[in-house]
């Protein structure tokens, strides 16, 4: 998803696209991978001064609920990235820098076979480790 697609989704769902909301989207569109809220807050404070932690988190969760942002947990902290859900895939996530690499395979066929009498609502598959850059740093 690109910045304009994200803004279009906000408008179509009836949300105002304020300067700070656009700035949040611009931050994630310029990042390559998952970023914690504290990185976003530091970025916004450099531009606007003090920002409300609650307001930032409300917007992050709104963007997630609208499908604009994806989220994951890294070391007990929520991290976000601009959604790339043009097709079904999963991610390798670097635990040092947060960069991601798409993984095209999906384990659901195997899992579904083992869960024949269960109803599956959703799934998430991520692999964590170090990217080549962080591994050799």
């Amino acid at each position: 998803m690109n910045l304009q697609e994200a803004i279009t989704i906000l408008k179509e769902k009836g949300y105002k696209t304020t300067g700070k909301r656009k700035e949040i989207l611009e931050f994630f569109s310029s990042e390559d991978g998952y970023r914690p809220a504290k990185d976003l807050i530091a970025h916004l404070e450099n531009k606007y001064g003090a920002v409300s932690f609650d307001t930032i988190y409300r917007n992050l969760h709104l963007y997630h609920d609208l499908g604009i942002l994806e989220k994951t947990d890294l070391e007990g902290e929520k991290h976000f990235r601009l959604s790339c859900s043009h097709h079904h895939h999963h991610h390798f996530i670097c635990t040092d820098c947060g960069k991601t690499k798409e993984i095209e395979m999906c384990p659901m066929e195997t899992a579904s076979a083992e869960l024949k009498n269960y109803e599956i609502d959703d799934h998430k598959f991520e692999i964590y480790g170090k990217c080549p850059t962080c591994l050799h740093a």
Side-chain angles (χ1 to χ4, degrees), residues 93-112:
I93 303 170
C94 180
T95 54
D96 280 358
C97 69
K99 288 184 181 176
T100 63
K101 177 172 176 33
E102 288 186 13
I103 301 168
E104 299 300 327
M105 63 81 64
C106 179
M108 282 308 295
E109 188 173 311
T110 303
S112 295

Side-chain angles (χ1 to χ4, degrees), residues 9-27:
I9 289 171
L10 275 177
K11 288 180 180 178
E12 286 174 352
K13 298 293 182 179
Y15 293 96
K16 293 179 183 175
T17 52
T18 64
K20 285 184 184 173
R21 281 191 171 159
K22 285 182 185 175
E23 186 71 29
I24 291 170
L25 294 172
E26 288 171 1
F27 172 81

Side-chain angles (χ1 to χ4, degrees), residues 71-134:
K71 73 177 173 180
T72 192
D73 288 307
L74 290 172
E75 299 178 8
E77 184 178 10
K78 299 253 185 282
H79 285 61
F80 299 86
R81 68 170 275 147
L82 207 57
S83 179
C84 57
S85 58
H86 294 294
H87 64 283
H88 183 79
H89 66 277
H90 299 281
H91 293 113
F92 170 89
I93 303 170
C94 180
T95 54
D96 280 358
C97 69
K99 288 184 181 176
T100 63
K101 177 172 176 33
E102 288 186 13
I103 301 168
E104 299 300 327
M105 63 81 64
C106 179
M108 282 308 295
E109 188 173 311
T110 303
S112 295
E114 291 187 32
L115 299 168
K116 287 192 187 293
N117 295 320
Y118 294 81
E119 180 181 321
I120 299 169
D121 293 327
D122 199 3
H123 73 282
K124 185 175 184 177
F125 177 68
E126 296 172 337
I127 298 174
Y128 302 95
K130 296 197 179 10
C131 69
T133 303
C134 292

Side-chain angles (χ1 to χ4, degrees), residues 56-82:
I56 297 303
Y57 255 94
R58 269 195 307 277
N59 279 291
L60 290 173
H61 289 290
L62 169 67
Y63 291 163
H64 177 260
D65 292 344
L66 295 176
I68 294 170
L69 293 180
E70 297 174 359
K71 73 177 173 180
T72 192
D73 288 307
L74 290 172
E75 299 178 8
E77 184 178 10
K78 299 253 185 282
H79 285 61
F80 299 86
R81 68 170 275 147
L82 207 57

